[in-house]
Amino acid sequence: YQAPVSRLPVYSLYSETRSPTEKMLSEVDVVVFDLQDTGARYYTFISTMALTMKACQQLGKSFIVLDRPNPINGIDVEGTVLDPDFSSYVGMYTLAIRHGMTVGELALYYNTEFGIHCELHVVPMRGWAREMFFDETELPWVLPSPNMPSVDTAIVYPGMCLLEGTNVSEGRGTTRPFEISGAPWIQPLELAKRLGQIDLPGAVFRPTYFTPTFHKWSSQMIGGIQIHVVDRRAFRPFRTGIALLITYREMGGARFQWKEPPYEYEYERLPFDILCGTDKVRKQIEAEASLEEIEHSWQDKLQQFREIRQKYLLY
């Protein structure tokens, strides 16, 4: 459509196409990427960035990234590292789920490591330090999308987004998406008690009932918890998300289910597997492996990723 004031054409890259077409870029010399990422691999702005970089390379356009803070700090790295066989729109390249990089650093990493080779220019930030969370920058938080209303949401998102691959509500349809979660089979006090017995640093779990206004279990009162992050530097969102999944499954038995495709333009593989970037975690959960065993299984690849990423850090 046409922007009402500037009269410039506006195209969606989250609809029929995820890549800009030749027609979209026909009157463009330079593409500028200026979007606030959330610091988790499955947030699709960074996939849109990679696909646009590819289009720019093919069509001879230059690509400029106006760098922005990683809102959940640029130090902590956690979670599974994508297996290329599970590449999708919620994870295109070998990247940890909590990657600890800025969009500018990711652009440099993608461009070199994955052979995009577009004409790339990254405009670095002034005044950002890697240990900062977004609210320490004194910049205003503008919702990157409707279900990312606050920095608190971004902090839990690298783990709690995994619930999208199940029939457990991840809190969409509430004012605290991803912080609140639940399901019809949950007795909140029992769930909170079980979670309290697991080593999950930096968080407390408040039992709650809630009624989502849309999405899963819409208009139905269900039991669950709200995560309150009391020490965000100690909090490990991915470990916490896996612990919650294991517990929801234990309490639900046959009522707990993995969501079937389609999901985020993927029509064959299970949503949970493409979110994790591997099917190993789901198979470990089904085999009732311990949280420690599951977490241990991705450490080698995570260490390899940490070493590669060092080359691309700007700050």
Side-chain angles (χ1 to χ4, degrees):
Y1 72 96
Q2 203 175 52
V5 177
S6 68
R7 305 319 242 173
L8 292 171
V10 176
Y11 301 103
S12 171
L13 293 179
Y14 190 67
S15 54
E16 301 83 52
T17 179
R18 265 73 61 213
S19 297
T21 61
E22 191 170 355
K23 178 179 178 291
M24 289 177 192
L25 297 181
S26 61
E27 295 181 37
V28 168
D29 297 315
V30 178
V31 175
V32 178
F33 181 91
D34 183 21
L35 288 172
Q36 178 58 54
D37 183 42
T38 67
R41 184 183 71 217
Y42 10 68
Y43 204 70
T44 56
F45 286 177
I46 57 176
S47 293
T48 302
M49 179 175 76
L51 291 167
T52 305
M53 287 167 67
K54 282 184 170 182
C56 286
Q57 194 281 325
Q58 289 161 2
L59 298 167
K61 316 290 182 181
S62 57
F63 190 80
I64 297 175
V65 177
L66 304 184
D67 209 3
R68 291 197 181 203
N70 182 320
I72 56 175
N73 87 46
I75 294 172
D76 293 323
V77 175
E78 193 199 358
T80 48
V81 175
L82 181 93
D83 173 341
D85 290 344
F86 289 85
S87 174
S88 75
Y89 193 50
V90 289
M92 293 185 68
Y93 295 121
T94 309
L95 200 62
I97 282 175
R98 185 177 183 180
H99 48 73
M101 298 171 81
T102 68
V103 284
E105 292 168 343
L106 285 169
L108 294 166
Y109 172 62
Y110 288 167
N111 209 37
T112 303
E113 294 291 327
F114 303 99
I116 297 176
H117 301 311
C118 72
E119 188 195 317
L120 172 65
H121 306 275
V122 176
V123 180
M125 293 176 278
R126 288 195 300 265
W128 185 71
R130 299 205 79 80
E131 65 273 12
M132 284 180 173
F133 283 79
F134 194 88
D135 50 9
E136 294 168 311
T137 67
E138 299 184 7
L139 295 167
W141 178 262
V142 177
L143 285 70
S145 56
N147 283 291
M148 197 58 62
S150 70
V151 181
D152 291 339
T153 324
I155 289 168
V156 300
Y157 180 73
M160 300 308 292
C161 181
L162 292 174
L163 296 178
E164 289 192 10
T166 74
N167 65 341
V168 175
S169 167
E170 66 278 9
R172 288 176 187 270
T174 75
T175 55
R176 286 286 181 179
F178 303 108
E179 292 175 73
I180 289 175
S181 61
W185 60 83
I186 290 299
Q187 207 294 323
L189 285 166
E190 173 65 16
L191 174 62
K193 182 182 161 194
R194 289 192 189 202
L195 293 170
Q197 292 165 347
I198 304 170
D199 178 21
L200 298 171
V204 293
F205 303 93
R206 182 179 64 82
T208 186
Y209 286 96
F210 63 99
T211 305
T213 57
F214 59 85
H215 209 55
K216 295 174 195 167
W217 311 112
S218 171
S219 305
Q220 188 174 333
M221 190 167 77
I222 58 176
I225 50 97
Q226 180 174 352
I227 300 178
H228 293 270
V229 177
V230 291
D231 181 351
R232 59 192 184 178
R233 298 197 188 276
F235 178 62
R236 290 157 70 190
F238 195 74
R239 176 183 169 89
T240 305
I242 297 289
L244 259 147
L245 262 166
I246 291 169
T247 312
Y248 276 124
R249 185 174 177 272
E250 283 172 355
M251 292 179 75
R255 287 174 293 184
F256 173 92
Q257 289 170 1
W258 304 108
K259 191 175 184 295
E260 293 292 325
Y263 173 76
E264 291 290 0
Y265 305 104
E266 168 62 45
Y267 297 93
E268 291 173 20
R269 291 165 300 183
L270 287 178
F272 185 80
D273 293 353
I274 62 165
L275 284 166
C276 273
T278 174
D279 59 2
K280 285 182 184 161
V281 175
R282 174 178 53 83
K283 288 174 177 173
Q284 286 172 314
I285 292 170
E286 289 172 344
E288 299 184 359
S290 71
L291 179 61
E292 275 60 38
E293 223 179 308
I294 296 170
E295 191 173 40
H296 180 72
S297 69
W298 66 68
Q299 294 307 318
D300 287 351
K301 285 190 174 175
L302 190 61
Q303 187 52 37
Q304 289 166 14
F305 169 70
R306 277 196 182 99
E307 288 164 16
I308 293 167
R309 108 190 226 288
Q310 282 298 124
K311 294 190 279 183
Y312 300 99
L313 303 184
L314 297 171
Y315 309 92

